[in-house]
Amino acid sequence: MKYSLFGESHGPAIGIVIEDIPSGIYLDQDFIQSQMDRRAPGRTPLSTERKESDKPKILSGIYNNKTTGTPLCAVFSNDDKHSEDYEDLKYIPRPSHADYTGWIRYRGYNDFRGGGHFSGRLTAPLVFAGSIARLQLMKKKIFVNSYISSIHGIRNPKEQEIENQIAEAERAGDSIGGCIACKITGFPSAIGAPDIGKNIEGEIARAMFAIPAVKGIQFGAGFEFANMLGSEANDGFKVNEENVNVIETITNNSGGINGGISNGMPITFELVFRPTPSISIPQKSVNLKTMQNCEIKIKGRHDPCVAYRAVPVVDAMAGIVILTFLQEAMGYDT
Amino acid sequence: MKYSLFGESHGPAIGIVIEDIPSGIYLDQDFIQSQMDRRAPGRTPLSTERKESDKPKILSGIYNNKTTGTPLCAVFSNDDKHSEDYEDLKYIPRPSHADYTGWIRYRGYNDFRGGGHFSGRLTAPLVFAGSIARLQLMKKKIFVNSYISSIHGIRNPKEQEIENQIAEAERAGDSIGGCIACKITGFPSAIGAPDIGKNIEGEIARAMFAIPAVKGIQFGAGFEFANMLGSEANDGFKVNEENVNVIETITNNSGGINGGISNGMPITFELVFRPTPSISIPQKSVNLKTMQNCEIKIKGRHDPCVAYRAVPVVDAMAGIVILTFLQEAMGYDT
Amino acid sequence: MKYSLFGESHGPAIGIVIEDIPSGIYLDQDFIQSQMDRRAPGRTPLSTERKESDKPKILSGIYNNKTTGTPLCAVFSNDDKHSEDYEDLKYIPRPSHADYTGWIRYRGYNDFRGGGHFSGRLTAPLVFAGSIARLQLMKKKIFVNSYISSIHGIRNPKEQEIENQIAEAERAGDSIGGCIACKITGFPSAIGAPDIGKNIEGEIARAMFAIPAVKGIQFGAGFEFANMLGSEANDGFKVNEENVNVIETITNNSGGINGGISNGMPITFELVFRPTPSISIPQKSVNLKTMQNCEIKIKGRHDPCVAYRAVPVVDAMAGIVILTFLQEAMGYDT
Amino acid sequence: MKYSLFGESHGPAIGIVIEDIPSGIYLDQDFIQSQMDRRAPGRTPLSTERKESDKPKILSGIYNNKTTGTPLCAVFSNDDKHSEDYEDLKYIPRPSHADYTGWIRYRGYNDFRGGGHFSGRLTAPLVFAGSIARLQLMKKKIFVNSYISSIHGIRNPKEQEIENQIAEAERAGDSIGGCIACKITGFPSAIGAPDIGKNIEGEIARAMFAIPAVKGIQFGAGFEFANMLGSEANDGFKVNEENVNVIETITNNSGGINGGISNGMPITFELVFRPTPSISIPQKSVNLKTMQNCEIKIKGRHDPCVAYRAVPVVDAMAGIVILTFLQEAMGYDT
């Protein structure tokens, strides 16, 4: 399962083409829409007010509401655009955004409005694609479960704490960072390989860095390994008490993966999301036309915490990657 | 530049084939051997005693000591093998090693001796390949510099502290984890893209997880972003004081990358390496033949700290990835 | 430059996503539409009567009528569908069509109507994508020129002969095969490599077989080489008479490529297209539901000669492949 | 199953690394050597006199004479080199060889001796790799069978005619072209896809053009389709008389493939091989150093008919491609 994401924030539409999708997946609209809704803006006072159309229009790859196995294209039209909010930004890049790198990379030809192709809005089609992957995985009792594991310094926050932190940042015209943890259960052992391009950790990491604002990933005990002894870190083996043919580990510091290969334990990893770069507090920038230092004060509607809405995006991306691994191990219609 | 690593720890030889290498790179043997020596075991009392042959034999891709541009194969013969040390391990997997996952993944056909294809010894050809990439990068004043940034809980340790920590772990028959930081300077801006498979963070991450024992990666401020406000995290822009045509950022929390694209600042990232799984302290395992719980006590020679020897491996892998990005941006003979 | 084609003949729309496109290509609508029109049905009495919408709607990757460098999606809505023509065909595969293989490959989930994803209609977005590639190539004085080189046994036919052959086949309810020759001029020398995945002949061939009905490809003298002596086949070298720094070959039996690498001479190849499988003459088939032998008589509108409309498709596909080679050699914005 | 071929004709060794190979394939040395011997030079008076070492040394990926599933490297050392034969050729490219394109592509850094990386000798490791693939395929009753279908204009020649033609060319200091036909039986239906990179014809074609001297490929009726009516060309369906659950085609003009997908009939294709470029008859060339027109008279040992020795190479390459398709459809250990 491979995908191509396309679209710009203020163009006619964004979307995705998914290739190598197993045929015969029933599109459970309730499940898919529930995931789309988790990501959608405007659903709580905490997230950006833009009313985005999060209803995919499926152009191909579906017949009688089941995947055909041929490339599936879904598009989301761009409504409620406030392009005028961005006119001022054309030559004044927003700090830590991709305005500047997009401008130099595409030699000034990129559509800068609303972040263009870099916009977080492109995670909508990703959630759609991931939901289809997850529908297939659920048939095999493989589940993906992501959640906020840290927000502005608070580890394992309660929902109320999350809302308070976000509300406070919003009031201050600022933004906050956070972490998302992900746990995949039911994934079979013996999948993956140590080599580049084939190991599960590497492929999950590669995919996750394609989610805007991700700046780090750790598997199992992750960076905590740097403080540990081998005797603390190692996951001893034991026979499963209920099924004597199954081997499991006593602890799961490895996050379900050894040598790039799944060991049958839950796959666990955590991602860090930087604070939303768009803040209304004045910042230092440079006018690209005049090459003069200047100040920028960003208008427009922005989530103060990108991690908060990214939870279903992580679920989706994880689903895509691990279904792909299953297909390689067991065949494309798995 | 792509590579295929091959070999098993106790087979006849290990090696690498490198494809898409620019033609005309002069093989500076002093530089290459200096990198090989940094990785080589047995050079200090701190690392494994195995006397490995770290002299590559180049079979192809070199003519008059310059790269031809056609695939380069280098092999390292395996001498001083103590295969008998591993006989006991055939059916008793070492905790947190890839013994168990290798056995199930390859259905019992893998060469388990010395970790087989999972052995850290395969980092030798990687250092060789990376050194060639770095020779090319140095011509363009692009430099890669990695160092131990953490060892068993000590941040930014001095060499003496590192040695003490390792010696202590060795005495205890235990092992320790650590971190390696990497800084790439001189890399041009405007390279990369936000999309999966094209963004610099994703591709560096993917490559680094192919180094044994890596369990996490973070760019720039990394996981610290979770504790930050946007106003603290954002990297404001300013015109370079000496060259008014160059834009730079005041801070570099982004680690030189925004939206998957280089911004001209140093690319910075940090990796965590788990403690070496091989320790002589008894551990819990399962006999795969009898499916009985058992204990394992690992004999043989092992590094107590895999991070310590991995520093030139990180340099090498970084060199390979960023030269590849340069080639895509500027052509294959760049 | 990579693409993903999507869509089914009788679904809502078909389209293409193009990635890795150079930024800043001006979309010359006249040129693009002229290519679309060459392919479009209904323009002459000779081709299928379906009135297809061949007007692309561009959803992304374009700003101010120039390519942005980010993925470009273009869609073509499906109008004037006569799905009822295909109802009878659901369980009775048309001989030499992909009805049967599509049905078994996608386990009965494919959209069989109008050939579904196998439809020749998907060449419309291909022509669109190829036109953009060719606009970029023309800036570098690289031109692609395809033409009918054979039709139902007539080599190098005149337009009148082509029309006669097609009209005759149509009257008989039959179809005819033909060949398309392609010549690429201005392509620089020194591009490509002998290895799989990198040689020009292999990559052109791979792409051309993705055009429906192509069953063979030959470069330069092609299958005629089987009848030749080396002394007849070899292309001697000489210095160009006007530019003494340029080497050229006296003949061009090699079709511009030696060892997978361009030699600076025109790249020449020829494709064979099988006769359109859809004919109204009764044919033997099997009812997939009852598994009984049966007869099929195909209704609906079909081109009697697929080669005839495929000329701009070959131009387009050639343009995509060779621009990709240029980008690898000289950088992605070439 | 992917491979990297490496080596130059007059370097220390040539070889191959094979990745994604199923684990547990028993290396039947008799079968493998029989294939190596079919390709080896010097076995008949008809082929080049060079006594090449065609004994692979396996460096990795094998344990207890079975594939481990990890990358397999096999090397063939280069003995009996007559590098002096090539000294004269350094600046005088042989017509229709890759001497000139290799020199410009690799900017003069390539190892020109004996054709360097372009040498037909690199087909030895290919035959080795393909033999392993074919051992796996034979377990599934899938067989590949290639043979000379044309030689210097004689269709379906008898062995004596082949030998006469080759001997005659040799006496004249000339060379001759020919065709190889290949038939794959037992390959399951429902494998492949119409899309680029996934269709069987495209992938076989791409691989075959990586064999030196191949200049064309046709599937089923191939170029003969250009002379046919649809009613002649179409392969009607019928129920298999012995197994009423199996559908087959009455004819096999399609060569076993429709829409890029296997239909269960034998896969058939034919390749054309140009005459060996190396002939002793004087030819026109250019001295690359002086840029003067000149004459070249090639010394050294050469096969007058490259097609003749290429038969096992085509078998091998076909085996690699179709095993790869099987793995994608059914999983990597298929």
Side-chain angles (χ1 to χ4, degrees), chain B residues 1 18 21-22 25 27 31-32 67 126-140 142 144 315-324 326-327 334:
Chain B
M1 200 168 156
I18 322 169
I21 197 167
I25 305 177
L27 261 67
F31 176 73
I32 294 172
T67 57
L126 214 46
V127 169
F128 173 76
S131 300
I132 296 176
R134 290 173 65 201
L135 282 166
Q136 184 76 344
L137 291 167
M138 284 189 272
K139 285 198 247 172
K140 298 167 200 301
I142 302 170
V144 181
D315 278 344
M317 196 65 110
I320 291 170
V321 176
I322 64 167
L323 178 56
T324 304
L326 269 191
Q327 290 178 294
T334 301

Side-chain angles (χ1 to χ4, degrees), chain C residues 37-101:
Chain C
D37 290 346
R38 287 172 72 200
R39 193 214 70 89
R43 62 183 169 104
T44 76
L46 299 176
S47 52
T48 162
E49 295 159 46
R50 177 171 172 187
K51 303 283 174 287
E52 293 178 357
S53 159
D54 265 10
K55 287 277 175 203
K57 187 178 175 202
I58 300 176
L59 300 184
S60 67
I62 299 289
Y63 188 54
N64 293 333
N65 204 38
K66 286 183 186 143
T67 57
T68 57
T70 54
L72 188 161
C73 180
V75 296
F76 300 73
S77 63
N78 284 333
D79 313 319
D80 188 33
K81 296 173 282 197
H82 290 208
S83 297
E84 63 277 14
D85 286 350
Y86 294 90
E87 261 317 306
D88 299 352
L89 299 177
K90 181 158 187 181
Y91 299 108
I92 304 179
R94 294 168 295 175
S96 288
H97 243 294
D99 294 346
Y100 174 63
T101 52

Side-chain angles (χ1 to χ4, degrees), chain C residues 197-251:
Chain C
K198 294 171 199 167
N199 84 67
I200 295 181
E201 291 165 321
E203 294 306 295
I204 289 180
R206 183 201 212 196
M208 294 297 159
F209 280 109
I211 302 175
V214 170
K215 295 298 280 190
I217 186 168
Q218 53 186 349
F219 289 85
F223 277 89
E224 187 56 30
F225 276 126
N227 307 325
M228 291 167 92
L229 294 167
S231 54
E232 298 165 333
N234 283 0
D235 300 314
F237 291 105
K238 70 179 169 74
V239 173
N240 179 290
E241 283 165 26
E242 276 153 42
N243 185 341
V244 295
N245 293 314
V246 169
I247 289 171
E248 56 191 27
T249 62
I250 298 163
T251 49

Side-chain angles (χ1 to χ4, degrees), chain D residues 82-154:
Chain D
H82 290 208
S83 297
E84 62 278 14
D85 286 349
Y86 294 90
E87 262 315 308
D88 299 352
L89 298 177
K90 181 157 187 181
Y91 298 107
I92 304 179
R94 294 169 294 175
S96 288
H97 243 293
D99 294 347
Y100 174 63
T101 52
W103 182 76
I104 53 176
R105 166 65 178 83
Y106 301 112
R107 306 185 296 179
Y109 295 113
N110 62 311
D111 180 353
F112 64 94
R113 298 168 303 163
H117 184 57
F118 298 89
S119 168
R121 174 149 167 71
L122 273 86
T123 56
L126 213 46
V127 169
F128 173 76
S131 299
I132 296 176
R134 291 175 63 201
L135 282 166
Q136 185 76 345
L137 291 167
M138 284 189 271
K139 285 199 247 173
K140 297 167 201 303
K141 309 247 178 275
I142 303 170
F143 300 98
V144 181
N145 180 30
S146 303
Y147 55 92
I148 294 283
S149 55
S150 185
I151 196 158
H152 196 211
I154 305 173

Side-chain angles (χ1 to χ4, degrees), chain D residues 64-76:
Chain D
N64 292 333
N65 204 38
K66 285 182 185 143
T67 57
T68 57
T70 54
L72 189 160
C73 180
V75 296
F76 299 73

